Amino acid sequence: MRFLRRFVQLGALAGFLYILYRTNFVKGIKIPALFLRLDPLAFFANLSSRSLPIFLFPALILLIATLLLGRFFCGWICPWGTVLDIFRRIARWLRLDRIASLNPPLWLKYAILAVGVVLSLFGVSFIFILDPLSLSTRLWGWLVFMPLDKTKIVWSGLAVVPVILLELFASRFWCRSLCPLGALLGLFSYFSLIKRKVNENCIDCGKCQRICPMSAVGDDPRSTKASECTLCWDCVKPCPVKAISFGKGGRKEVSLPGRRAFLSSLGLGLIMGVLFRKTRFQSSTLIRPPGARREEEFLGLCIRCGECIRACPTGGLRPALLEAGWEGIATPRLVPRIGGCASYCNLCSEVCPTGAIKPYKLEDKANIKIGIAKVDYNRCIAYAEGKDCLVCQENCSYQAIALLPGPKKAKIPKVRPRRCVGCGMCENHCPAEGPAAIRVYRRD
C-alpha cells in the first residue's frame, strides 16, 4: 500500500505540473485549474464575497470524499505534501534531519483557519497566502515555467525557504501545524468512516508513534487523532505484531485548540480584519487585469494562485506588493512598462479558478476599460525635443491616440479617453528613458 501511495503521489504531482505546463498562451491549450477548483478552502472563502462560487463546486466532491475516507488528500494527492515528502527523504539521506527534533503544536493550524474564516467575513482572503494549492501553483508556476526576475525570486524565496527549514525539524511540519486546508479537511475527517484500527495484539512498543509523520497516533497507541491521520499506512508495515489495519471503527482523539487559543485566534482575526479595512489603499497605478471584478469583490475572490500572472503572454501581470494595501499582497496587477495587455489574449480570465477575473470574449475586449493613458509632455520626445516619434500611436491597438501639431515641428500624441482601454502598450513601447512619457493610471 505504501508503494501504491507513492505512485499516486508522484502521479498527482506529475498531473499538477502537466496542467501548469500546458496552461499558457503559447501552448494554446487552456486546461481548467483542476487542483485549484478542488480546493474547499477557496469554496468557503468565496462565500464571503456574496457570489455563488460555481467554479468551485468540484471542491464539494473532495469534502464528501473526506467525510467517507478521511484526510486522504493530504497523504495521497496534495502536491505540496508530496514535495515535502521528497525533501524530507533528501534531508534524511544527507542526515540533515538530525539537526534538531521538534513536536509542533497540532492545534495551531485550526487557529490559523479560524483567523482566516473571520477575515473572510471582512471580505479578506489573505489566508490564501498559506493555502498549499495556491502556494504550489505560485511556486511551481513562477520558478519552473516562467523566466525568473527579482520579484518572483523574492516571493518564491519567502514561500519556500521557511518551509524547507521547518521540514528539517519535523516531518510534515507545515501539514501538522500551519496548513489551513489541512485543518479544514481534518475537521471533516474526524467523522470519516475509514480509520486506523489497532487490535488486541498490540504490545505497546510505541513504534507506530515514533514513525508517524503527522503525530496522529495518540498517547495510547491504540487510539488515533482522526483529524491528523492522512492514511499514509507508514505505521502498518513496521508493526512487529501486525496489529494495525484501516477500516471502520477504531478509537479516536481530537487535537483542537483550547478555548483560550480559539478565542484568541478569533480576536486576532477580528483585529486583522479591522486593520485591513482601515488600511485599504489603491495606488493610482494599480491596474487590474481585464474582466477583474470591482476591487472589494476582487480581493475577496482572488486566491493569490498566480495563474493569471503565469499565463500572461507579455509578462505584464505581476504580483502586487502594497499597491492595494496589505490585503492586496500577491494579487495580480498590470505593470505596462514591463508588458502591456495584448489585444489578442484573454487567457487570464479563462484560467482564473474563482471568477475573480470574469470570463469574456475577445471581441468584447475593446469595451473593457482597465485604466487610462496620460501623456507627460515634459518627457515626451516629440513635445520636448521636437523629434518625430509615433511609437505610442503605432502600437495602440484601439486607435486611442491622435496626433496633433506640437509647439515645435513634430506632432504630439493626445489620448482619446473614449477609446483608451488602458492596455498599456503605449507605455510599454515608449522610447523615453526611465519612466515612460505616456503612462496608464487607474480609472476612478
Side-chain angles (χ1 to χ4, degrees), residues 140-148 152 306 309-311 315 317-318:
W140 286 102
W142 295 354
L143 282 185
V144 180
F145 299 118
M146 289 183 70
L148 286 178
K152 292 169 190 166
I309 294 173
R310 193 181 57 80
L317 284 183
R318 285 287 192 273

Side-chain angles (χ1 to χ4, degrees), residues 131-378:
D131 180 22
L133 295 181
S134 178
L135 194 60
S136 298
T137 305
R138 282 200 306 273
L139 174 66
W140 286 102
W142 295 354
L143 282 185
V144 180
F145 299 118
M146 289 183 70
L148 286 178
D149 58 27
K150 186 169 65 176
T151 305
K152 292 169 190 166
I153 291 175
V154 170
W155 276 110
S156 303
L158 289 174
V160 175
V161 173
V163 176
I164 288 178
L165 292 178
L166 290 175
E167 196 64 18
L168 296 178
F169 298 109
S171 62
R172 292 273 189 140
F173 191 118
W174 176 276
C175 308
R176 289 197 219 182
S177 295
L178 301 176
C179 180
L181 176 59
L184 179 61
L185 295 179
L187 293 177
F188 279 78
S189 65
Y190 181 78
F191 305 98
S192 68
L193 299 179
I194 307 300
K195 293 183 178 66
R196 172 179 173 271
K197 298 192 302 183
V198 182
N199 62 30
E200 63 278 3
N201 294 332
C202 177
I203 56 174
D204 294 318
C205 67
K207 199 167 186 178
C208 55
Q209 292 170 316
R210 294 191 294 273
I211 205 169
C212 179
M214 296 291 292
S215 292
V217 180
D219 295 333
D220 181 348
R222 296 169 185 79
S223 66
T224 306
K225 297 168 186 171
S227 298
E228 310 303 324
C229 180
T230 60
L231 287 82
C232 67
W233 289 66
D234 282 356
C235 58
V236 175
K237 189 174 181 180
C239 179
V241 292
K242 307 302 177 189
I244 301 174
S245 63
F246 283 83
K248 292 183 179 180
R251 293 164 54 182
K252 59 185 180 182
E253 296 180 8
V254 295
S255 52
L256 296 175
R259 184 190 303 176
R260 180 175 298 178
F262 179 69
L263 293 177
S264 298
S265 59
L266 293 182
L268 178 61
L270 184 64
I271 293 172
M272 291 178 66
V274 172
L275 286 178
F276 281 151
R277 281 276 186 173
K278 292 287 186 184
T279 57
R280 274 189 173 170
F281 169 75
Q282 290 184 46
S283 165
S284 61
T285 57
L286 178 66
I287 311 297
R288 295 300 189 188
R293 298 176 184 267
R294 59 184 177 83
E295 186 65 14
E296 185 174 347
E297 190 177 3
F298 178 81
L299 289 175
L301 285 169
C302 178
I303 60 173
R304 282 75 167 167
C305 64
E307 276 283 76
C308 55
I309 294 173
R310 193 181 57 80
C312 181
T314 67
L317 284 183
R318 285 287 192 273
L321 291 174
L322 295 175
E323 292 83 358
W326 286 99
E327 62 177 314
I329 289 178
T331 56
R333 74 180 187 105
L334 182 69
V335 183
R337 198 55 168 159
I338 297 176
C341 183
S343 60
Y344 53 80
C345 176
N346 62 348
L347 192 55
C348 59
S349 71
E350 297 194 9
V351 300
C352 179
T354 64
I357 305 174
K358 291 185 290 186
Y360 63 89
K361 296 179 181 178
L362 269 180
E363 51 266 32
D364 297 331
K365 190 166 186 176
N367 299 319
I368 302 175
K369 299 180 184 299
I370 57 176
I372 186 166
K374 297 180 180 178
V375 181
D376 181 355
Y377 287 108
N378 292 325

